[in-house]
């Protein structure tokens, strides 16, 4: 099982790095493609659009064994990152980024199902969190490394390395991931039947609002660190490593707490931590120490909720909709990223680029995520297997 989870985590690393590395190499990419910075921002949007369309792979591939789907996703990631590395003009890079995004949501939905299936009873969330750790490690190491490669050598090298990593992961999946039976075939309509219940909508909306709130600040974390914290631009990559470390720790802690407690309550706690962090961004004047601590804290909160939310959605989709439900988390995540960036940018424009206001712009949105999950856990989590385990007394 450990080798299987490692192979899946390797795939999560590729997709996490491919999603976020563009934010660090945007100036160099814009210059190379002869477009403005705002126009280069479309390379980020193209990936997010690919994430949404990629869910169709699961709709029409519902009869395919999950292992074979993971192999397909790695092949698409290989193609997308290779095309990004050799793109000769902006339209080609846009198309390559769209292709790179296609497997993202579908991968996490499928990998969550495999990780849950292979896990020991009572440790499903920990298994999912270890798979998601690949994405958090990408933020801790992959994204800063890609940024440094772009500054020292070429932005194309970052995508070339991701393409090679995808090829390696494809072979790891073939060798290490065992056969897992396809989900129950309930037809195209049946895959979406779980959405007729209110519970999954509470979770998806919480993911959307939670990420929107955090990305009001996270989208502009680099200038915030420099303008508010007084950090030099040379130190920003190291602070991104600190944020990534917070994500790794948050993902692991969130998985363990989910198995001990309630998934919805764990996710609510995570969004509450993020809410507190965003309020501190607004109220604290800012210096080296406080901005570094907040960077770690909000990074911690961002992935603290990853495994409980993924697990909740896969459970909600049981009976034929597991893959679509798991992918839905990533779609809501990416929509939240896009909206948060817009809201945070509007706050900066309205306040003459006062970066404290990215925190207060995101806080009310994050509060909605907390409220939704509190309602969810009070309504649907009055009794769980985790509670039974906590009540057990061993003599």
């Amino acid at each position: 099982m450990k080798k299987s989870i490692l192979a899946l985590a390797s795939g999560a690393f590729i997709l996490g790095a491919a999603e976020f590395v563009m934010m660090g190499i945007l100036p160099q990419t814009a210059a190379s493609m002869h477009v403005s910075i705002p126009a280069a921002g479309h390379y980020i949007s193209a990936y997010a659009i690919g994430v949404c369309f990629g869910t169709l792979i699961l709709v029409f591939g519902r009869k395919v064994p999950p292992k074979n789907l993971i192999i397909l996703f790695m092949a698409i990631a290989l193609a997308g990152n290779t095309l990004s590395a050799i793109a000769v003009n902006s339209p080609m890079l846009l198309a390559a980024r769209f292709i790179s995004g296609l497997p993202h949501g579908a991968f996490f939905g499928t990998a969550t199902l495999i990780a849950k299936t292979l896990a020991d009873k009572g440790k499903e969330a920990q298994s999912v969190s270890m798979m998601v750790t690949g994405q958090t490690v990408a933020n801790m190491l992959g994204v800063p490394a890609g940024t440094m490669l772009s500054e020292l050598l070429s932005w194309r090298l970052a995508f070339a390395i991701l393409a090679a990593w995808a090829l390696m992961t494809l072979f790891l999946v073939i060798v290490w991931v065992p056969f897992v039976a396809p989900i129950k075939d309930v037809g195209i309509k049946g895959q979406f039947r779980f959405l007729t219940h209110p519970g999954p909508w509470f979770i998806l909306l919480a993911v959307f609002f939670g990420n929107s709130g955090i990305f009001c600040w996270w989208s502009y974390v680099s200038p915030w660190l420099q303008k508010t914290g007084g950090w030099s631009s040379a130190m920003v990559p190291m602070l991104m490593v600190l944020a990534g470390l917070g994500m790794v720790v948050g993902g692991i802690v969130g998985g363990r707490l989910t198995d001990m407690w309630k998934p919805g309550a764990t996710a609510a706690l995570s969004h509450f931590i993020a809410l507190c962090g965003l309020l501190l961004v607004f109220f604290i004047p800012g210096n080296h120490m406080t901005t570094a601590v907040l960077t770690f804290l909000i990074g911690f909160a961002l992935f603290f909720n990853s495994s409980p939310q993924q697990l909740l959605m896969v459970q909600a989709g049981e009976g034929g909709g597991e893959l679509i439900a798991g992918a839905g988390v990533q779609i809501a995540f990416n929509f939240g990223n896009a909206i948060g960036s817009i809201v945070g940018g509007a706050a900066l424009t309205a306040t003459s680029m006062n970066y404290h206001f990215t925190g207060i712009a995101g806080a009310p949105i994050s509060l909605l995520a907390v409220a939704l999950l509190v309602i969810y856990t009070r309504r649907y989590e009055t009794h769980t297997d985790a509670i039974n385990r906590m009540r057990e007394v061993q003599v």
Side-chain angles (χ1 to χ4, degrees):
M1 188 194 80
K2 291 181 179 179
K3 287 184 176 181
S4 301
I5 300 301
L6 180 60
L8 296 175
S10 181
F13 177 92
I14 295 163
L15 297 170
E19 179 180 22
F20 286 101
V21 75
M22 184 57 75
M23 298 174 187
I25 66 175
L26 206 60
Q28 295 87 345
T29 308
S32 178
M33 294 291 105
H34 307 291
V35 297
S36 66
I37 292 291
H42 295 157
Y43 304 141
I44 299 173
S45 301
Y47 188 98
I49 294 170
V51 174
C52 300
F53 276 89
T55 307
L56 294 175
I57 299 173
L58 298 179
V59 174
F60 297 104
R62 61 187 182 277
K63 298 179 182 180
V64 179
K67 176 179 178 177
N68 293 354
L69 287 174
I70 296 293
I71 293 171
L72 172 63
F73 300 149
M74 288 300 99
I76 297 173
L78 169 61
N81 285 294
T82 299
L83 290 172
S84 296
I86 63 174
V88 296
N89 54 42
S90 188
M92 182 177 177
L93 184 55
L94 281 170
R97 290 291 292 165
F98 174 81
I99 293 170
S100 296
L102 286 173
H104 189 110
F107 171 89
F108 280 98
T110 307
T112 298
L113 175 65
I114 294 175
K116 177 176 178 289
T117 302
L118 297 179
D120 295 331
K121 183 172 176 58
K123 295 186 177 181
E124 292 85 356
Q126 291 182 51
S127 181
V128 173
S129 73
M130 294 309 296
M131 178 273 293
V132 175
T133 296
Q135 187 179 18
T136 59
V137 171
N139 282 281
M140 183 175 70
L141 300 177
V143 173
T147 303
M148 293 181 67
L149 283 173
S150 180
E151 292 181 357
L152 298 175
L153 297 171
S154 170
W155 61 270
R156 297 178 185 275
L157 189 56
F159 290 114
I161 292 173
L162 287 176
W165 198 297
L167 181 61
M168 177 195 72
T169 303
L170 191 152
F171 285 105
L172 290 181
V173 171
I174 292 173
V175 175
W176 286 349
V177 176
F179 173 83
V180 173
I183 62 173
K184 180 181 178 182
D185 182 14
V186 292
I188 294 177
K189 184 178 179 181
Q191 287 183 289
F192 296 91
R193 188 172 294 120
F194 69 94
L195 292 176
T196 60
H197 304 287
W201 288 105
F202 278 96
I203 303 163
L204 291 174
L205 287 172
V207 174
F208 170 75
F209 286 124
N211 264 60
S212 295
I214 290 177
F215 272 78
C216 286
W217 165 81
W218 178 251
S219 300
Y220 307 95
V221 65
S222 178
W224 172 77
L225 286 166
Q226 296 173 62
K227 301 294 184 181
T228 303
W231 295 96
S232 66
S233 60
M235 285 299 297
V236 170
M238 295 305 299
L239 289 159
M240 292 300 97
V241 173
L242 181 64
L245 176 62
M247 295 175 190
V248 171
V249 175
I252 294 172
V253 173
R256 291 186 178 277
L257 183 59
T258 297
D259 283 330
M260 294 171 58
W261 198 28
K262 307 175 183 179
T266 301
L269 175 61
S270 172
H271 289 294
F272 179 73
I273 294 171
L275 169 62
C276 293
L278 291 171
L279 289 173
L280 290 174
V281 167
F282 176 71
F283 286 110
I284 293 179
N287 54 42
H288 280 185
M289 179 60 72
T290 58
T291 52
V293 170
L294 286 174
T295 297
F296 177 88
L297 179 68
I298 301 178
F300 174 91
L302 181 60
F303 277 89
F304 189 103
N305 56 47
S306 186
S307 57
Q309 289 174 162
Q310 285 283 163
L311 191 61
L312 279 172
M313 286 304 296
V314 170
Q315 291 173 344
E318 285 182 354
E322 293 95 333
L323 301 183
I324 297 295
V329 175
Q330 296 299 319
I331 294 174
F333 187 101
N334 278 270
F335 269 123
N337 297 355
I339 297 301
S341 179
I342 293 170
V343 174
L348 289 174
T349 301
T351 58
S352 300
M353 304 305 287
N354 186 329
Y355 287 93
H356 289 285
F357 279 85
T358 59
I360 201 64
I365 308 175
S366 288
L367 180 60
L368 289 174
V370 176
L372 284 166
L373 286 168
V374 168
I375 294 171
Y376 176 89
T377 192
R378 290 177 66 86
R379 180 176 294 184
Y380 299 105
E381 293 187 320
T382 56
H383 186 79
T384 67
D385 289 340
I387 290 176
N388 286 336
R389 291 195 299 275
M390 291 177 70
R391 288 173 176 166
E392 288 178 359
V393 178
Q394 297 182 355
V395 179

